[in-house]
Amino acid sequence: MKKNKINKLICFCALVFTLFFLGCSTDGDNDNTQGNNNPNNEVTAVMSISKNDLSFGYLENTHSFLIRNLSDTPFDWNWTETSSSSVISASPNSGTLAAGASIEVTLTLDRSNMVTQIYNLSARISNNKGQSLSQLIEIENYTENKWFIGGNVIDAEYDRVNDVMIVVSENPNQIRKFNLATNVEESLSLNNIPKCISISQDGNYAAVGHNGNVSYINLTSMTIENSYAVSADVYDIVLAPNNWVYITSSISYQKMICVNLSNGQETFSQYNHIGYVPSYPNSAKVKLHPSGNYIYATPNGIVPSDIDKYSITNGTAQFLYDSQYHGDYKFGNKFWLSENGSRIFTNSKNIFSSSSIQNNDLIYLSSIQGLEGDNSKVIDIMDINTNSNRICALFVYDPDQNVYIPSNKVRVYNAQFLYLREVEIPKHMTTNVNGGVDFHESRGYFGFFNSSGTKFFVLVKYLPNQWAIATINVT
């Protein structure tokens, strides 16, 4: 009886040892190996991969890894991207692997349809023995969609009739026409350094201001049709439908220069209080009302800030009046008119009426909705589009109180002046001496809607005197 118990104990211990040994022998090498169930006592195939995780940096387009057969039986294998992005191809992507053999697989990226973002994809390596291994793939991608332009941009306007951006630059001194729908650029050399530009309402002509000179340019043929000498250096300019140009200058004191393009005759209009102020070397910013009958002007250096109105129906500009507010509402020194001419948006964020009736003109209406921390900010760039009922604006800290740093973010508002969202202008990527990449902020200096209001184009500078046109999708 005692001997029988001893035999049973020995059998039990042998069974436990056998089970323990079998359990240890079926453990995988790492996460990258996996055995199949073997109910029929067939030879087990063990597959492994050298890399479970792959990371493609911004400058990397290929990566390789090994598939190994750790068993004593061959198997067929295949590699499949399971995230369905169609941006990665494998070579080879399938085959037969002999017992104890390995094969190198190279993954290649196709970045042609990728956008700027970090992708997290997955793939699966399977064999005909029922094994399947997963692989995680991270891709850092930067796609450059900006239109790079040479020279140093001085001024720009947008012609919504023909959907083109008109830019004047120095180094080289040129006027340039950009069709952002067709990616076609036309250019014309200028005889002098440009200071500012104004486009005719029909988009056929442009007036470019220089020091002591104005160039009159046919934008259809891209030719200089005439040149006019003026008695001051041009600061800002308006090309009106009455075939006159109106000029402000920092050295013309309180006179607006008015030039009849038919004969080149120069006349002067007295300002109310616009002109040279010693502590503010720039003169007034002027804009044409959509009716073509009036010019609005904001004087620099006047405290409190104000807006003046001029009639141009008789050629020479005639001062009409300024606003009724003198410190009640801030105007600032930049402004923009709505397409129908009913509203004036100022860089102080205040909105005023525009009317041919004085009692209804320059009346405070509302203000652009600000965000937290906006009390010390002003609007630097703005455009309004009726078709999309959208407003885009770039804000900066008030240059009168801070160092001027253009913004790298575009805010989108609806027609009720309510904030919708903020979009960062795409950065610019460069390679560095260490073989890595650096990203540079793209900061906006001019911004315009296309005619439909679906896109907002920003003229940006991303490095000293390095310019490009960035596109923001608005709707």
Side-chain angles (χ1 to χ4, degrees), residues 381-418:
I381 298 169
M382 174 181 275
D383 202 10
I384 306 100
N385 189 279
T386 303
N387 290 330
S388 61
N389 287 320
R390 290 291 183 267
I391 299 169
C392 281
L394 281 74
F395 284 66
V396 298
Y397 286 101
D398 190 345
D400 290 343
Q401 304 172 23
N402 302 271
V403 175
Y404 174 64
I405 302 176
S407 177
N408 65 332
K409 295 179 181 178
V410 176
R411 293 188 193 175
V412 183
Y413 293 83
N414 63 17
Q416 289 71 46
F417 324 129
L418 297 177

Side-chain angles (χ1 to χ4, degrees), residues 166-348:
I166 310 297
V167 176
V168 290
S169 65
E170 63 177 343
N171 297 320
N173 299 333
Q174 287 184 337
I175 180 169
R176 303 153 83 176
K177 180 166 62 174
F178 296 93
N179 187 320
L180 289 108
T182 62
N183 292 325
V184 173
E185 175 187 354
E186 299 177 65
S187 62
L188 171 68
S189 294
L190 299 171
N191 298 324
N192 300 287
I193 297 174
K195 298 297 182 181
C196 53
I197 185 172
S198 178
I199 303 172
S200 63
Q201 289 180 316
D202 59 12
N204 292 330
Y205 287 89
V208 178
H210 312 272
N211 286 345
N213 187 270
V214 172
S215 298
Y216 185 60
I217 296 166
N218 185 319
L219 291 175
T220 303
S221 61
M222 290 298 283
T223 56
I224 300 175
E225 288 200 357
N226 214 332
S227 182
Y228 302 87
V230 293
S231 57
D233 294 342
V234 181
Y235 171 68
D236 201 10
I237 190 169
V238 162
L239 174 56
N242 60 2
N243 207 35
W244 286 62
V245 292
Y246 300 89
I247 297 166
T248 60
S249 174
S250 59
I251 60 173
S252 64
Y253 294 88
Q254 298 197 354
K255 295 179 180 179
M256 179 186 289
I257 300 173
C258 312
V259 180
N260 186 337
L261 297 180
S262 300
N263 53 27
Q265 182 180 356
E266 181 180 271
T267 57
F268 302 93
S269 174
Q270 293 296 317
Y271 287 105
N272 182 29
H273 50 226
I274 298 177
Y276 181 81
V277 178
S279 60
Y280 289 82
N282 296 330
S283 186
K285 299 296 289 184
V286 287
K287 289 189 183 294
L288 178 70
H289 186 269
S291 68
N293 297 324
Y294 308 100
I295 286 176
Y296 286 98
T298 52
N300 273 339
I302 300 298
V303 180
S305 57
D306 206 348
I307 290 185
D308 293 346
K309 187 173 185 177
Y310 294 79
S311 171
I312 58 172
T313 54
N314 295 322
T316 299
Q318 301 294 320
F319 172 77
L320 296 178
Y321 48 82
D322 60 359
S323 79
Q324 62 179 288
Y325 308 113
H326 298 281
D328 300 307
Y329 297 101
K330 189 175 181 179
F331 288 90
N333 57 10
K334 287 185 178 181
F335 68 102
W336 302 266
L337 288 156
S338 60
E339 287 182 277
N340 62 8
S342 63
R343 290 186 175 92
I344 300 173
F345 298 80
T346 66
N347 72 330
S348 66

